[in-house]
């Protein structure tokens, strides 16, 4: 469904991503793990057209998406949950959800999806009229995920949903991610928390200094000695 | 001193009326500064010139139509509409031609460009309309009212009501429509807003076009209030409206409205009483110093303004 081939991204003269190739099949959850600064966020930003690329190609559902405008990415069916959540702090929770559905006109469908999000995250329903900036970090992460789902995407890109959250919150959020995946969503999950990412995905790629050094079945990587040494603290 | 305190107090309602009228005009212009700043962090110093062009276009169109035999009221209405459309076009072009190519460049660059555009528009107006003062045709019958010791004209009443109407319309647009929500989202996080499918360029254009429409209305108000116009009139007016926006907290809509009205009141009361408090050393022609004193004081003690969020947090 998503095919990234030879993708290169540079900031000024510095190569942040050096010719990486990976793919995500329909219905799969694929993890992209790596240490801080490995180039994970850069990869996602390049796919979602928030930054320009130095080379390579990105295809989504067979269509080249490298040349299109950033605001057209969501039209293609790709929804990004950005690093640091990126909720609109002075919009209410409900308005944030409506922003997720910005390109949709089907009032009834939007209302139904809003209820579905409240089902995933009852906390958001309680706080529907509160400004998003007043939510806790975990609640903001819930909101960012719910907002992305409001566009009814074909694929979800998640940038470190566990970042800075208490373990109990991380559990709740990953439970929803797994439910969404089980319901058929295609997911590219980016994480520094390798254990969590490998446990929640079918396949994974390991990114190191802008290069993919390992890839395979997540279950196998969980037992790979190199991965255990480098990312699982053993 | 000859004037008694009693007499001064009697003038008070009149000063308040004058301040409200002037303040309504400042508020409309301040909204244009604040919308653009809120969305893209740019101070569009050419905005005062858009007001000026609004006034001059209205004079020309009204004059031509009235000369062709149209009743002056209807000619004035056409003048207003054409002035609004012209200013919208100018605001839109200004962003397209002058500011969009500079997006992403250091903050000083678009600021200098804005000052440049202000000079360009002034000179353009000078070429088109000449250097002389022009008289603005009286659009409304000269009717006077009296209320609580203050006198006011029909023009003044219309200015305050129309301004209130425009401001309510803007608030509804920004807080009750999808475009408004996109504008607020863009102001808070343009990158993420575009991920939601918002075309940032359209939102920015919308801010310029809406701000310029308000500027045109303000321009017609100024014209019919003072009944004169001149190609340089936009400069001080723009600076004062900018002061009003800063006073209210630049980037904040309610702030611009409150700041505009407050500045109008400060000026009117200041001009009314400066003679008394300085023993006639300074007269009411010093009224312009109040706006700039306010600007300096706000920038020194509360740069985020009355309604401004903490610095670095726009709109
Ligand atoms: N805006 C930027 N300008 C310059 N360098 C950047 C920028 N963003 C990221 N980098 C650099 O690119 C590399 C990859 O960063 P990033 O993709 O954010 O890593 P990750 O998300 O894996 O932590 C890092 O070395 C980082 O310092
Ligand atoms: Mg990152």
């Amino acid at each position: 469904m998503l095919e990234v081939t030879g993708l290169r991204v540079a900031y000024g003269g510095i190569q942040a991503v050096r010719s990486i190739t990976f793919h995500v099949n329909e219905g799969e959850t694929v993890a992209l793990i790596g240490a801080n600064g490995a180039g994970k966020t850069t990869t996602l930003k390049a796919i979602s057209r928030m930054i320009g690329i130095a080379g390579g190609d990105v295809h989504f559902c067979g269509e080249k998406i490298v040349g299109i405008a950033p605001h057209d990415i969501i039209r293609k069916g790709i929804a990004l949950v950005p690093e640091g959540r990126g909720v609109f702090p002075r919009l209410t929770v409900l308005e944030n959800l409506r922003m997720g559905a910005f390109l949709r006109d089907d009032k009834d469908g939007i209302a139904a999806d809003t209820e579905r999000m409240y089902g995933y995250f009852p906390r958001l329903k309680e706080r529907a009229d509160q400004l998003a900036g007043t939510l806790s970090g975990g609640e903001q992460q819930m909101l960012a995920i719910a907002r992305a789902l409001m566009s009814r995407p074909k694929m979800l890109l998640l940038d470190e949903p566990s970042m800075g959250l208490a373990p109990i919150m991380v559990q709740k959020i990953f439970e929803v991610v797994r439910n969404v995946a089980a319901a058929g969503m295609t997911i590219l999950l980016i994480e520094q928390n390798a254990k969590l990412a490998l446990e929640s995905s079918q396949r994974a790629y390991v990114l190191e200094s802008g290069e993919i050094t390992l890839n395979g079945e997540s279950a196998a990587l969980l037992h790979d000695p190199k991965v255990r040494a480098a990312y699982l603290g053993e | 001193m000859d004037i008694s305190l009693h007499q001064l107090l009697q003038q008070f309602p009149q000063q308040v009326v004058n301040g409200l009228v002037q303040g309504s005009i400042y508020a409309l212009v301040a909204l244009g500064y604040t919308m653009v700043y809120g969305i893209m962090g740019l101070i569009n110093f050419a905005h005062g010139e858009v007001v000026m062009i609004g006034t001059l276009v209205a004079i020309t169109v009204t004059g031509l139509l009235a000369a062709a035999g149209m009743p002056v009221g209807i000619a004035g209405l056409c003048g207003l509409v054409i002035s609004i459309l012209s200013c919208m076009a100018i605001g839109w072009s200004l962003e397209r031609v002058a500011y969009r190519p500079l997006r992403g460049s250091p903050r000083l660059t678009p600021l200098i460009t804005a000052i440049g555009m202000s000079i360009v528009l002034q000179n353009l107006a000078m070429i088109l309309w000449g250097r002389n003062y022009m008289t603005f045709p009286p659009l409304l019958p000269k009717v006077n009212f009296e209320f609580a010791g203050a006198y006011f004209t029909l023009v003044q009443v219309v200015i305050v009501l129309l301004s209130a109407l425009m401001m309510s319309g803007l608030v509804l647009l920004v807080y009750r429509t999808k475009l408004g929500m996109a504008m607020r989202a863009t102001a808070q996080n343009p990158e993420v807003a575009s991920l939601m499918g918002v075309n940032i360029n359209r939102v920015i254009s919308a801010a310029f076009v809406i701000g310029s429409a308000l500027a045109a209305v303000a321009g017609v108000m100024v014209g019919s209030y003072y009944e004169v116009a001149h190609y340089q009139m936009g400069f001080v007016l723009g600076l004062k409206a900018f002061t009003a926006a800063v006073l209210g907290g630049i980037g904040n809509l309610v702030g611009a409205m409150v700041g505009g009205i407050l500045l109008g009141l400060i000026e009117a009361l200041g001009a009314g009483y400066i003679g008394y408090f300085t023993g006639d050393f300074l007269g009411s022609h010093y009224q312009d110093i109040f706006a700039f004193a306010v600007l300096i004081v706000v920038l020194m003690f509360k740069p985020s303004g009355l309604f401004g969020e903490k610095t670095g947090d726009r709109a």
Side-chain angles (χ1 to χ4, degrees), chain A:
Chain A
M1 186 170 225
L2 178 74
E3 275 163 71
V4 176
T5 30
L7 180 71
R8 286 186 291 121
V9 186
Y11 294 108
I14 304 152
Q15 292 262 339
V17 170
R18 310 154 192 256
S19 194
I20 62 171
T21 298
F22 67 95
H23 69 276
V24 183
N25 297 319
E26 188 164 356
E28 243 187 341
T29 299
V30 170
L32 187 62
I33 59 176
N36 193 15
K40 305 182 296 295
T41 297
T42 304
T43 304
L44 274 203
K45 282 189 170 178
I47 295 170
S48 56
R49 302 285 303 133
M50 287 158 85
I51 50 174
I53 65 173
D57 235 331
V58 182
H59 289 262
F60 183 68
C61 297
E63 189 187 351
K64 190 182 168 94
I65 57 167
V66 182
I68 71 175
H71 57 259
D72 283 332
I73 280 292
I74 197 164
R75 254 180 239 277
K76 301 288 174 203
I78 300 178
L80 173 71
V81 179
E83 184 177 61
R85 340 196 210 282
V87 299
F88 301 111
R90 286 179 308 296
L91 296 190
T92 65
V93 166
L94 183 58
E95 284 175 324
N96 268 275
L97 293 177
R98 294 222 172 106
M99 279 307 295
F102 185 73
L103 292 180
R104 293 173 57 184
D105 288 320
D106 54 325
K107 269 197 156 175
D108 297 342
I110 293 174
D113 280 345
T114 307
E115 283 309 316
R116 198 159 58 89
M117 295 311 138
Y118 290 158
Y120 283 142
F121 303 114
R123 206 56 95 71
L124 297 182
K125 184 168 191 167
E126 291 163 27
R127 298 174 195 266
D129 297 321
Q130 206 169 310
L131 293 186
T134 64
L135 299 181
S136 75
E139 291 162 350
Q140 291 191 12
Q141 188 65 62
M142 295 173 179
L143 179 56
I145 294 173
R147 181 181 61 183
L149 291 172
M150 285 299 291
S151 67
R152 290 216 175 149
K154 294 182 188 141
M155 180 170 188
L156 200 57
L157 311 182
L158 295 164
D159 194 345
E160 296 212 38
S162 76
M163 191 199 253
L165 301 186
I168 175 93
M169 225 12 137
V170 174
Q171 286 312 319
K172 267 191 203 167
I173 283 165
F174 271 77
E175 199 183 299
V176 172
V177 171
R178 285 183 207 121
N179 287 343
V180 170
M185 182 66 69
T186 310
I187 299 177
L188 176 59
L189 170 64
I190 288 209
E191 262 301 337
Q192 234 185 105
N193 185 334
K195 184 164 184 287
L196 193 61
L198 292 173
E199 284 170 355
S200 317
S201 57
Q202 283 93 55
R203 289 190 305 117
Y205 295 84
V206 177
L207 194 62
E208 265 177 67
S209 310
E211 282 170 295
I212 289 178
T213 51
L214 270 176
N215 73 83
E217 304 271 322
S218 302
L221 287 175
L222 257 177
H223 299 102
D224 186 290
K226 274 183 283 181
V227 173
R228 294 186 79 90
Y231 299 103
L232 302 175
E234 286 174 22

